[in-house]
Amino acid sequence: DAKTTQPPSMDCAEGRAANLPCNHSTISGNEYVYWYRQIHSQGPQYIIHGLKNNETNEMASLIITEDRKSSTLILPHATLRDTAVYYCIVRVNSGGSNYKLTFGKGTLLTVNP
Amino acid sequence: GAVVSQHPSRVICKSGTSVKIECRSLDFQATTMFWYRQFPKQSLMLMATSNEGSKATYEQGVEKDKFLINHASLTLSTLTVTSAHPEDSSFYICSAYTATAGNTIYFGEGSWLTVV
């Protein structure tokens, strides 16, 4: 799987949008971009994923650049509960065992009151 | 999203004993499950991949005889830490793959193991 680069930490004010960047310049054409987050002492929580089109769900929006070499996860109205480590992962989307996710260090997002 | 449950959430065991952690997919059938280990302030490290009815595939450096993984059904995988040592104390997390819901992988809540 392609490697990703994320800033180690970010801060955001409560109620404001949190924009978390991720670089994946070596992504292959068949690799998706996945975002997970991990709140302290819990298992990772799935947020969103996409291939090339922008995606939105009830939790967040995912913006993928046209060349697919980077993406941004947007939490539109951050709350204190959104404080967590956010992981950007790229992987292929087929093949059973190939689904394994390789985690980097992620971005620690701290939402401040 | 789909639900993956782990049990126990916390366990303390004595050195030299074995401890089993269960991972269940509650509302879907998981053909593939993954086991991770996470030390404090570090990222998740994949230990092994298990497919229902076949032997697990271990990542490099993970002792298969120490970390026994069984995936006997489409809803249950177990990780047994044998002859536990204090350095095995860690947060163990499982995840399960489902072909539904966009081929997404869902994670359990994690299990804290403390070996004393």
Side-chain angles (χ1 to χ4, degrees):
Chain A
D1 291 342
K3 292 185 177 180
T4 61
T5 303
Q6 299 177 252
S9 64
M10 294 183 64
D11 285 283
C12 177
E14 187 177 19
R16 305 295 293 269
N19 299 292
L20 292 90
C22 179
N23 286 322
H24 31 78
S25 59
T26 60
I27 191 170
S28 300
N30 62 345
E31 287 182 313
Y32 285 66
V33 180
Y34 279 76
W35 283 84
Y36 285 80
R37 72 180 182 183
Q38 186 178 28
I39 296 171
H40 182 62
S41 298
Q42 297 181 24
Q45 177 188 22
Y46 166 77
I47 301 173
I48 199 168
H49 75 280
L51 181 62
K52 54 182 179 181
N53 297 321
N54 297 336
E55 302 288 344
T56 296
N57 63 21
E58 64 279 3
M59 289 184 66
S61 294
L62 174 60
I63 308 299
I64 303 174
T65 58
E66 192 170 344
D67 63 7
R68 301 208 325 121
K69 293 184 177 182
S70 66
S71 60
T72 301
L73 178 73
I74 301 173
L75 306 179
H77 305 287
T79 70
L80 299 180
R81 294 181 181 180
D82 292 322
T83 293
V85 178
Y86 287 76
Y87 296 99
C88 168
I89 303 167
V90 295
R91 67 164 175 84
V92 297
N93 211 28
S94 63
S97 301
N98 292 333
Y99 282 111
K100 66 181 181 180
L101 297 170
T102 302
F103 286 79
K105 297 183 178 180
T107 296
L108 172 60
L109 173 68
T110 302
V111 181
N112 301 304
Chain B
V3 180
V4 177
S5 179
Q6 282 185 240
H7 178 79
S9 57
R10 290 182 179 274
V11 59
I12 300 173
C13 72
K14 294 184 178 180
S15 292
T17 63
S18 297
V19 60
K20 180 184 291 186
I21 300 171
E22 293 185 347
C23 177
R24 296 181 183 272
S25 55
L26 298 185
D27 52 359
F28 65 97
Q29 293 184 326
T31 54
T32 305
M33 288 186 172
F34 307 88
W35 286 94
Y36 291 82
R37 180 168 57 179
Q38 185 176 32
F39 293 107
K41 297 188 178 182
Q42 295 187 20
S43 189
L44 286 78
M45 295 294 295
L46 180 65
M47 300 174 67
T49 302
S50 72
N51 292 300
E52 185 266 338
S54 62
K55 291 183 178 180
T57 301
Y58 290 81
E59 295 297 303
Q60 190 173 7
V62 178
E63 300 175 59
K64 61 181 181 181
D65 293 330
K66 179 169 184 59
F67 299 99
L68 301 179
I69 292 173
N70 183 278
H71 192 166
S73 77
L74 288 172
T75 59
L76 173 64
S77 177
T78 60
L79 167 68
T80 301
V81 182
T82 63
S83 299
H85 291 158
E87 54 264 34
D88 297 326
S89 299
S90 186
F91 190 48
Y92 291 87
I93 309 166
C94 74
S95 64
Y97 157 71
T98 173
T100 59
N103 294 319
T104 300
I105 291 178
Y106 293 94
F107 286 79
E109 316 96 318
S111 300
W112 283 102
L113 169 64
T114 301
V115 184
V116 297

